[in-house]
Amino acid sequence: GESVAVESECVVELRVEGMTCPKCVGRVEKALAKVEGVTEGKVLDLESGKVQVKGSLVLEELVKVCCSALDDGGYPASLWADGVAPAKAGEAGVVTLHVAGMTCPKCVGRVEKALLKVEGVTEAKVLDLESGKVEFKGTACVKQCCVVLDDAGYPAEVWKDNNNESECPTQEAGVVCFPAAGTGEPVGAGSKGAAELAMEESDREDKKGDGMEDCVIEVEGMTCGACVSRVEKGMGKLAGVKEVVVSLTTNRARLVYDPKVSGVRAILARASDIGYPSKLATDQGPRESLTHMRQKEARQWRNRFLGSLLLTIPAFLVAAPLSVWGATRESLHASVWRAVDLRSLLLLLLVTPVQFGFGKGFYVASYKSIRHGAATMDVLVALGTTAAYLYSLVSISVASTNWTQGSGFTAHAYFETSAMLITFVLFGRFLEAKAKGEASEAVSNLMSACPSVAILVHPPKEGGEGGDGAEEEVDAELLEVGDMVKVVTGSHFPCDGVVVKGSGNIDESMVTGESRAVHKEAGSCVLSGTPLIDGMVYVRAVRVGRATFISQVAKLVEKAQSSKAPIQHYADKIAAIFVPAIVALSAATFIAWYACCLLSIVPMEWTHHDPFIFSFLFANAVLVVACPCALGLATPTAVLVGTGVGARMGILIKSGAAIELAHKVSVVCFDKTGTLTTGNMSVVGDSLFGPNTTTASLYRLVCGAESGSRHPIADALRRHAASLGVASPAVDGEVKARPGQGMQCVMEGVEVVVGNPRWCRAEKGGDGAGLSAEARHWEEVSRMEEGGDTVICVGRAG
């Protein structure tokens, strides 16, 4: 193989003062990037001001030049205590693997330990047990890590999205960047809006990685291996495509490509050109597939639980109430064959399908874990239920073998114990899977705001900006960077981009929490998922698909769901020895009680003259009680559900550690709008300036002018008018909307205007409404605005 020379470099950590927001983070990193000899500068923690710098200079020189550059930029810097560490280039490499076979916290510990034994691995952690997502850092060979995991019984491969991971850019700085609600501007970002800041912060992420993306397409018409070869060769010739893997069994192809050279539309067109029509796979998104997987898992546990419950209820009735009541007691205890009575036979028939049908999954999982040299919670369930079932079966067999007429020898059957245990565990698994599914659904709901289709505007033949070329409705997943997209009133933006033509008001409450619409015009940035309330705009796509802002927010929530709270690390260590300890404790319990029975310490009437079954029931109880393993399941489930519920309520939780530390919070700062208030506008009062104007006539004019508007203010006005019993009148002709200003219409032959004071007061010839009023009336309007109210003026001609 090729040998690579690794050059030593120095890594130093600095304490930088004066950083207050993500914009400061960008300035600090840019200042460090300009220093000669510095190869990398990264802010590790915004709150503490911790910054890591890598460079080829000696320690003293590196610290000196970096501190000088930061001091000149207005950010005083000094050496962080114990902040020097030797490193090698590439040491911070992060690789994500897909590891199969993990079923419990003990598996997590075995996988992490196996990776840490590989030379060059500095850190390893399981990000998500259900999906098998594992991450490790270091310079170790990926192939070697996969081999080590395979040897440990956990088949591994590189995570298919490994080259496409797009962390939320604000996470790198240690904060989540959101605008200050009520102002429409991000904290510390000057006059920039929410969309501008989000896109600015994402620029740094574009510089990471190799810029390659991947996609999965469904290929039609493949019938044999020759077709596979033709598709791979044909697609491989397309400019920008680096890798093509085709599967005949699934009729799918996975391509790795450079989006700057060829996009998804070009890939689909190429597939059609070589004779294999294709379309983008609908379930290729990792969030959609994970959500579907968890929902499917929840359905499977539900069906198994209901089936088990259907047989367990009659088994319980036969075992306890019906076998004691006088009406059915004699019938159930009547002998069917030798020592086998009707009660034991019915229990055997009812419980056997539960034990080996609905409980089959526990045996399969136990076999896999034992084959890997581990013991999971499934082993406890299998041991406890099998012990109760087999003892009952053996008891009946022995009693029947030794049975003689009139001997009075009876069997002790405890079939219902295993059935009830399996049913309860299945119910717990169903609740757990349901909670996980709901938490994953919260992430998918964040993405539901993005439209599935977009209006693509093709560039005109002779150049020029958007609005002049042909329009085509395409799948939003097929949009590429640089595309021109048309967005009309009531539609959601399918991508992050910049407005190049048109204007309108946008509801950015999903980002800022502020219900007031934000006016956008040429040059303004917009975010995917936000709706256009009024107007029409043409947008140049800057970020599409998984690179959009809303996708990064969803990824933040998803990462938080798979993160470990500090207490979970202790739980994982205990879980690694939990099952062997419980089995040993169960055996010790049996030995202790059996010894007490043999030594006559326990009265014989307690044991019903059967010390073995008496001791066995205590030992089995230890296994049964330990089966749910609240220690290993409660913590990760709490983090998963907590972050999911928070996401549905509009609260983004960064990690499990944040949840654990929440009880130490002493001061809470709330954003007023949408949190302490409803987030919806309402009419608080009105003033009538005209001598012949009534309240009813005022709102009649308002309803007519605002009848077709979807603006939050228009909604508030219409709701208030409806509460007063005012109906919306007919309008003569078309209502003219002035984005960011107001509405104009003709009602009963009279011109009516409704809008903000600035537009209404401006001269009509100067693009204003030309509404005339006395000076004292305008002074009253100014006083209302100074009091924090949003004032809307209504006027009519004549």
Side-chain angles (χ1 to χ4, degrees):
E2 298 180 356
S3 60
V4 181
V6 181
E7 195 175 17
S8 298
E9 62 179 4
C10 182
V11 179
V12 63
E13 291 176 350
L14 304 176
R15 183 188 300 277
V16 180
E17 301 174 4
M19 294 191 296
T20 58
C21 67
K23 191 172 183 180
C24 297
V25 172
R27 289 174 177 170
V28 167
E29 292 182 346
K30 286 180 181 178
L32 290 172
K34 295 179 181 179
V35 177
E36 186 176 353
V38 173
T39 58
E40 182 184 358
K42 181 168 61 175
V43 176
L44 300 180
D45 188 9
L46 177 63
E47 284 188 5
S48 62
K50 193 173 186 179
V51 177
Q52 185 186 76
V53 181
K54 294 182 181 180
S56 56
L57 303 175
V58 295
L59 173 62
E60 294 80 8
E61 185 66 17
L62 182 62
V63 174
K64 181 179 179 181
V65 294
C66 290
C67 291
S68 176
L70 292 174
D71 288 343
D72 294 341
Y75 299 95
S78 59
L79 183 64
W80 187 277
D82 300 326
V84 184
K88 291 185 176 181
E91 188 177 55
V94 179
V95 178
T96 306
L97 301 177
H98 178 268
V99 181
M102 294 190 295
T103 58
C104 68
K106 187 171 182 180
C107 297
V108 172
R110 292 175 62 85
V111 168
E112 292 178 348
K113 286 181 181 178
L115 284 174
L116 289 173
K117 291 180 181 177
V118 179
E119 184 178 356
V121 175
T122 58
E123 182 182 346
K125 60 181 177 180
V126 176
L127 300 179
D128 190 6
L129 179 63
E130 282 74 25
S131 62
K133 194 171 186 178
V134 179
E135 180 183 271
F136 75 86
K137 296 181 181 179
T139 57
C141 173
V142 177
K143 185 176 181 180
Q144 182 184 359
C145 291
C146 292
V147 171
V148 169
L149 291 175
D150 288 343
D151 293 341
Y154 299 95
E157 61 182 359
V158 177
W159 188 268
K160 70 174 184 178
D161 247 2
N162 208 42
N163 293 330
N164 221 18
E165 288 291 317
S166 177
E167 300 289 348
C168 177
T170 55
Q171 284 184 335
E172 183 178 324
V175 295
V176 181
C177 176
F178 286 108
T183 64
E185 299 179 2
V187 179
S191 59
K192 293 185 178 180
E196 283 74 6
L197 180 68
M199 295 181 66
E200 181 182 280
E201 287 298 317
S202 297
D203 285 338
R204 282 184 292 161
E205 192 65 25
D206 291 343
K207 300 176 183 178
K208 298 181 180 180
D210 55 8
M212 305 301 290
E213 293 186 3
D214 67 344
C215 69
V216 178
I217 61 175
E218 297 178 354
V219 185
E220 299 177 5
M222 292 193 300
T223 57
C224 61
C227 296
V228 172
S229 177
R230 184 179 178 187
V231 171
E232 288 182 343
K233 290 181 180 179
M235 301 303 292
K237 293 180 181 179
L238 181 64
V241 174
K242 302 299 182 183
E243 180 183 348
V244 183
V245 178
V246 180
S247 171
L248 180 62
T249 57
T250 61
N251 285 332
R252 288 189 172 195
R254 178 179 177 271
L255 298 94
V256 178
Y257 63 97
D258 186 349
K260 297 179 181 179
V261 180
S262 295
V264 178
R265 294 200 301 275
I267 290 174
L268 297 180
R270 175 63 178 173
S272 298
D273 291 343
I274 61 177
Y276 298 91
S278 305
K279 63 180 181 179
L280 195 66
T282 56
D283 60 343
Q284 68 158 321
R287 295 185 191 92
E288 287 76 7
S289 60
L290 181 59
T291 300
H292 176 72
M293 179 186 71
R294 286 180 171 167
Q295 290 176 344
K296 182 180 178 181
E297 181 186 9
R299 287 194 298 268
Q300 290 175 343
W301 286 116
R302 181 198 62 192
N303 295 337
R304 290 169 64 183
F305 162 68
L306 292 177
S308 178
L309 183 65
L310 191 64
L311 295 174
T312 300
I313 290 177
F316 169 75
L317 294 176
V318 169
L322 297 180
S323 63
V324 177
W325 292 347
T328 55
R329 181 178 179 179
E330 292 184 4
S331 300
L332 288 174
H333 286 284
S335 176
V336 177
W337 180 78
R338 293 196 170 191
V340 181
D341 56 12
L342 182 60
R343 173 184 178 275
S344 299
L345 182 60
L346 288 176
L347 288 176
L348 178 64
L349 295 176
L350 289 170
V351 172
T352 300
V354 176
Q355 184 71 38
F356 302 106
F358 300 109
K360 177 184 176 182
F362 297 118
Y363 288 102
V364 174
S366 298
Y367 168 74
K368 290 181 178 179
S369 63
I370 293 174
R371 185 168 59 90
H372 293 156
T376 64
M377 299 304 114
D378 295 308
V379 174
L380 290 181
V381 178
L383 282 176
T385 59
T386 304
Y389 182 87
L390 288 181
Y391 176 84
S392 302
L393 191 61
V394 170
S395 177
I396 293 176
S397 301
V398 172
S400 299
T401 302
N402 299 330
W403 179 85
T404 57
Q405 187 69 31
S407 65
F409 192 92
T410 57
H412 297 282
Y414 297 92
F415 290 111
E416 74 281 0
T417 302
S418 67
M420 293 179 67
L421 175 59
I422 288 176
T423 302
F424 278 121
V425 174
L426 288 175
F427 181 59
R429 296 288 176 88
F430 164 60
L431 293 180
E432 180 189 351
K434 183 180 179 183
K436 292 177 180 178
E438 291 175 349
S440 298
E441 189 177 358
V443 179
S444 298
N445 289 341
L446 287 173
M447 304 296 296
S448 63
C450 295
S452 57
V453 296
I455 302 177
L456 177 66
V457 182
H458 294 283
K461 296 181 180 179
E462 299 180 0
E465 282 298 340
D468 301 322
E471 298 178 0
E472 178 187 3
E473 193 173 271
V474 299
D475 191 329
E477 292 288 337
L478 301 181
L479 290 178
E480 302 170 6
V481 174
D483 282 344
M484 185 74 69
V485 180
K486 177 183 176 182
V487 182
V488 297
T489 300
S491 301
H492 291 68
F493 288 91
C495 60
D496 295 351
V498 179
V499 178
V500 296
K501 184 178 180 181
S503 62
N505 291 307
I506 296 177
D507 180 7
E508 291 186 342
S509 59
M510 64 176 292
V511 180
T512 65
E514 176 61 64
S515 59
R516 181 178 298 180
V518 181
H519 182 67
K520 300 288 185 177
E521 55 189 15
S524 300
C525 294
V526 295
L527 299 177
S528 61
T530 54
L532 179 64
I533 298 174
D534 55 44
M536 183 179 70
V537 296
Y538 291 86
V539 177
R540 180 76 66 186
V542 176
R543 305 190 194 288
V544 297
R546 286 172 286 184
T548 60
F549 174 76
I550 194 170
S551 295
Q552 293 172 0
V553 172
K555 186 174 180 63
L556 172 65
V557 178
E558 193 175 58
K559 186 173 183 179
Q561 290 181 347
S562 60
S563 67
K564 291 183 179 180
I567 194 174
Q568 190 175 341
H569 293 286
Y570 295 105
D572 291 344
K573 292 179 181 178
I574 297 174
I577 60 172
F578 182 78
V579 175
I582 292 299
V583 173
L585 191 61
S586 177
T589 301
F590 175 82
I591 294 173
W593 280 104
Y594 195 65
C596 290
C597 292
L598 295 180
L599 296 174
S600 300
I601 298 176
V602 176
M604 289 301 293
E605 55 268 21
W606 288 15
T607 66
H608 298 284
H609 303 281
D610 195 342
F612 183 85
I613 185 61
F614 178 78
S615 304
F616 168 77
L617 290 176
F618 278 106
N620 201 42
V622 175
L623 296 176
V624 170
V625 171
C627 284
C629 186
L631 183 67
L633 298 177
T635 303
T637 304
V639 172
L640 186 73
V641 176
T643 51
V645 172
R648 288 198 298 273
M649 301 298 291
I651 303 172
L652 300 182
I653 302 173
K654 187 177 180 181
S655 64
I659 298 178
E660 184 174 332
L661 293 174
H663 73 281
K664 296 183 179 180
V665 174
S666 58
V667 178
V668 180
C669 297
F670 287 101
D671 165 34
K672 179 182 71 67
T673 306
T675 305
L676 302 180
T677 61
T678 61
N680 295 316
M681 289 187 167
S682 61
V683 177
V684 296
D686 48 57
S687 297
L688 306 176
F689 296 152
N692 299 323
T693 305
T694 63
T695 302
S697 62
L698 170 67
Y699 285 103
R700 191 167 177 272
L701 297 177
V702 170
C703 287
E706 300 284 6
S707 58
S709 176
R710 299 183 61 181
H711 197 283
I713 295 179
D715 291 338
L717 292 171
R718 286 196 297 268
R719 285 197 304 269
H720 188 69
S723 67
L724 298 176
V726 178
S728 179
V731 179
D732 303 335
E734 183 182 0
V735 178
K736 296 180 181 179
R738 298 295 185 92
Q741 297 174 329
M743 310 288 288
Q744 283 180 306
C745 70
V746 176
M747 194 183 312
E748 299 175 353
V750 179
E751 183 181 1
V752 177
V753 295
V754 178
N756 62 54
R758 183 178 177 182
W759 174 66
C760 290
R761 192 173 184 177
E763 295 294 334
K764 199 165 187 178
D767 199 26
L771 190 63
S772 60
E774 298 180 14
R776 59 188 178 88
H777 294 154
W778 292 120
E779 290 176 0
E780 185 174 347
V781 169
S782 299
R783 283 195 298 271
M784 292 179 185
E785 291 182 320
E786 290 173 359
D789 293 332
T790 299
V791 180
I792 300 298
C793 296
V794 182
R796 61 182 177 185

